[in-house]
Amino acid sequence: MASVTCRFASADYRTPKIDAIGYDDQVSQKYIEVAIAFRYTDEVNGDFEIGVLRARWTEDDLEPPTIGEPSWVSVIYGEDFEPYGMNNSDLTPDVAYDPYTNDLYLVWTRYYEYEKLHCVHYMHYDHDMDQWYGPWLGQSLDHHGWIPRIDVGTTNDFLGFDSGNNVVVVYTAQNCGNYNFHTHINAWPAGSNGSHASDQCIIDPDWDDRMAGLPCVDISPEANGHPIVAVAFIQNRPPPGIATHFGITLWNSHNEQFTHVSTEASYGIGQAVFPSVAVHYHENTLPVNQRVSVSYFMSNQYGAWVPRAKWVRIGGSMGQLVDIDPFGQGEWPEIYSNVQYAYGLNTALTVFDDQSYWVAWSDRAGYGGRPVRVKATYGFTD
């Protein structure tokens, strides 16, 4: 298996996100392209900035290019898209390719020091023009917006958003209607550059007065024929007498149903955090028969966070829990808030067209809550 090596300077680089796409050029040469977004520290003024690196190689290349070498086709850094002046920090980026145009979309949170406001922004890279456009707002300005996640693809119409090839962004919002944290979603037609402030709140009616956030999003593969958008997020849904108890909730755009994923109690009353979501491949399958897999961390009776996963059918049934690493190594720091992002505590999930999956996760905490390794496992959802 080939690997792409990142070579950076001594600056502090964190929160990397990645996406990839394959396409043919005009002479039928098959290319593979990868985009990596990351946050780094500006060594001059100390601000946090966002960097994006793109690599492209052919299927015949034995060794893919290395970051920093001329074979990288595009490199942009924070100063290239910070028109609002200094003393602003950019945080927690994510990237996604448009499967139809090969365009690339970048989303992140910008913190305005003077206004004390966090806002979701995005940029659009036009593949044919070889040009970045933006930045623009990806939310309305009546609330804070944190830790956005993005996907691009064909969606159904939902929450007032039209069907079509859409950019979909989810994030944690505050001060929208009340002072609680909630999950927000925004969508707009791919290629329609400019600010988009038509975001909507996703609130589980059973827990509308409780915190929710840190969402992730996945759009169903085109082969499924009936598009859906799946959003997994952390929801505070405590038992009686307990103020805070986090669990994982899955929302889908077909029936806009909320499914409580982390319902197991094999370790007693455990909390669940940091989900990842992936819609399965189901060729020409009705939405109610499509499945969505979710990975997450569950706390056990020893105070450790253990990785788990399960699938949910849109029609309502739920698959068997997969205990990825039932022993749980090391203690992770306590999670206090739905907007508290742990730089190393995370899960990542992908599902392939043969219903196989990979799940990766941070293995355990070292000094100061830092992870000491990343693990991954392979299996089949059936």
Side-chain angles (χ1 to χ4, degrees):
M1 178 181 295
S3 62
V4 177
T5 304
C6 302
R7 296 176 181 173
F8 300 131
S10 59
D12 181 17
Y13 294 89
R14 297 194 180 192
T15 64
K17 300 294 288 186
I18 189 170
D19 198 19
I21 196 169
Y23 56 85
D24 297 324
D25 66 4
Q26 295 180 353
V27 294
S28 299
Q29 175 65 61
K30 182 70 173 180
Y31 284 101
I32 300 169
E33 185 173 312
V34 172
I36 302 173
F38 52 90
R39 190 214 78 182
Y40 71 98
T41 304
D42 188 316
E43 296 179 335
V44 176
N45 57 33
D47 288 348
F48 293 140
E49 308 286 1
I50 300 299
V52 179
L53 292 164
R54 294 171 49 242
R56 187 181 71 172
W57 60 91
T58 72
E59 287 186 323
D60 298 328
D61 290 336
L62 297 179
E63 290 295 331
T66 303
I67 291 177
E69 295 180 354
S71 50
W72 280 92
V73 296
S74 174
V75 179
I76 63 170
Y77 290 101
E79 57 266 23
D80 293 331
F81 51 89
E82 188 168 342
Y84 302 104
M86 306 300 286
N87 300 319
N88 297 321
S89 285
D90 296 312
L91 310 163
T92 58
D94 195 15
V95 285
Y97 280 100
D98 184 330
Y100 304 104
T101 66
N102 306 320
D103 289 4
L104 179 65
Y105 289 85
L106 165 71
V107 67
W108 75 96
T109 294
R110 168 163 291 166
Y111 176 65
Y112 294 103
E113 177 68 28
Y114 181 78
E115 296 87 351
K116 305 298 182 185
L117 183 66
H118 294 81
C119 291
V120 173
H121 286 69
Y122 82 97
M123 290 188 70
H124 168 211
Y125 171 77
D126 188 303
H127 183 271
D128 292 337
M129 298 297 294
D130 190 24
Q131 177 71 42
W132 282 96
Y133 298 98
W136 300 288
L137 282 167
Q139 66 162 87
S140 54
L141 289 175
D142 59 354
H143 59 273
H144 292 283
W146 281 280
I147 313 176
R149 294 294 176 252
I150 188 172
D151 201 7
V152 185
T154 300
T155 73
N156 61 319
D157 57 325
F158 65 95
L159 298 179
F161 301 118
D162 293 332
S163 61
N165 184 32
N166 287 319
V167 178
V168 178
V169 175
V170 296
Y171 60 94
T172 303
Q174 188 191 24
N175 293 355
C176 186
N178 55 46
Y179 289 98
N180 249 335
F181 299 105
H182 295 297
T183 296
H184 267 227
I185 188 168
N186 200 358
W188 58 86
S192 60
N193 292 341
S195 294
H196 295 278
S198 55
D199 48 276
Q200 300 292 321
C201 199
I202 299 177
I203 299 182
D204 187 338
D206 294 335
W207 304 99
D208 58 350
D209 61 340
R210 300 288 183 169
M211 291 192 301
L214 290 179
C216 52
V217 61
D218 193 41
I219 298 173
S220 58
E222 182 183 8
N224 289 17
H226 298 272
I228 60 172
V229 179
V231 178
F233 57 92
I234 300 174
Q235 174 69 62
N236 180 23
R237 48 175 199 264
I242 299 179
T244 302
H245 186 85
F246 294 127
I248 304 300
T249 295
L250 175 68
W251 177 90
N252 75 85
S253 64
H254 169 63
N255 52 23
E256 300 182 9
Q257 186 176 51
F258 293 88
T259 301
H260 298 164
V261 178
S262 55
T263 57
E264 66 274 5
S266 58
Y267 291 141
I269 301 177
Q271 298 197 69
V273 293
F274 301 114
S276 182
V277 64
V279 182
H280 291 213
Y281 285 80
H282 297 289
E283 188 171 353
N284 295 322
T285 302
L286 293 175
V288 293
N289 293 324
Q290 295 187 36
R291 293 186 297 172
V292 179
S293 281
V294 181
S295 62
Y296 53 93
F297 278 109
M298 172 69 74
S299 61
N300 65 13
Q301 72 269 39
Y302 303 112
W305 293 102
V306 294
R308 293 182 151 187
K310 66 170 57 173
W311 59 258
V312 176
R313 197 180 302 277
I314 298 301
S317 61
M318 193 175 300
Q320 184 177 2
L321 172 72
V322 178
D323 235 344
I324 301 172
D325 187 0
F327 300 104
Q329 303 179 50
E331 292 187 4
W332 289 99
E334 184 176 354
I335 305 300
Y336 297 102
S337 165
N338 277 46
V339 296
Q340 181 184 13
Y341 185 84
Y343 287 112
L345 181 55
N346 201 7
T347 66
L349 168 70
T350 188
V351 179
F352 301 96
D353 54 6
D354 61 355
Q355 304 307 315
S356 63
Y357 68 84
W358 276 98
V359 176
W361 67 97
S362 307
D363 180 38
R364 63 186 293 266
Y367 175 75
R370 297 184 180 93
V372 296
R373 65 178 66 90
V374 172
K375 286 185 174 181
T377 188
Y378 173 84
F380 288 86
T381 61
D382 291 331

